[in-house]
Amino acid sequence: QVQLVESGGGLVQTGDSLRLSCAVSGRTSSNYAMAWFRQAPGKEREFVAATEWSIGSTYYGDSVKGRFSIFGDNAKNTVYLQMNSLKPDDTAVYYCAARSGVAIFKFPAPYDYWGQGTQVTVSS
C-alpha cells in the first residue's frame, strides 16, 4: 500500500517561494506517476504538476508554468514541488497523488493514492 505524506505548507507573502515535500512509502517499483493538485475553497481540485518518476518527464498546469517545478529524489523517496513567485491565487490545500504506470493525467480520477494535503496561504 502506497502512502503519501505532504509537508512544507505555510503562510507566505506575494512573491515568496515555498517548497512542498511528498514522502512516499510502500511503492514497489519506480514506474509511478506522481502529481500535485490543489483545491481552493468552493473550487474543484486543480492539476498543478506531474512527473513520471522513472523517466523524469514533467508536466505543468497553465497557471503555474514558469513558476513551479516538480522533481523527485529517489534516494529519499520524496517528490518536491518548488513554488516561486507565489500569488494570492495560489492559496489552496495542496495534495500529492500517485498512480502506478507511466501515464500522466491532468485530472484527479486516475490517481489511486492521495496524501492528506498541506495548506498554502499567500497573502497580498
Side-chain angles (χ1 to χ4, degrees):
Q1 181 75 3
V2 174
Q3 293 186 322
L4 309 175
V5 178
E6 302 101 331
S7 61
L11 172 62
V12 297
Q13 295 184 333
T14 297
D16 284 352
S17 297
L18 204 58
R19 179 177 292 184
L20 305 183
S21 300
C22 174
V24 183
S25 61
R27 68 182 179 122
T28 56
S29 76
S30 60
N31 290 332
Y32 272 85
M34 303 296 303
W36 287 94
F37 287 81
R38 67 186 182 186
Q39 190 165 19
K43 295 187 177 181
E44 293 187 352
R45 197 161 291 193
E46 177 191 12
F47 172 76
V48 175
T51 184
E52 201 294 313
W53 204 314
S54 63
I55 299 174
S57 53
T58 57
Y59 305 83
Y60 296 96
D62 290 340
S63 61
V64 306
K65 279 181 184 176
R67 299 189 298 123
F68 290 14
S69 61
I70 184 172
F71 57 98
D73 185 331
N74 270 321
K76 295 183 178 180
N77 272 332
T78 300
V79 174
Y80 301 94
L81 182 68
Q82 177 67 40
M83 305 186 294
N84 299 327
S85 302
L86 283 162
K87 307 173 183 179
D89 284 349
D90 295 318
T91 296
V93 177
Y94 283 71
Y95 296 92
C96 180
R99 65 180 302 277
S100 61
V102 300
I104 296 291
F105 294 90
K106 296 185 178 181
F107 48 94
Y111 292 87
D112 301 307
Y113 308 101
W114 291 85
Q116 81 286 355
T118 185
Q119 176 70 47
V120 173
T121 303
V122 184
S123 65
S124 57

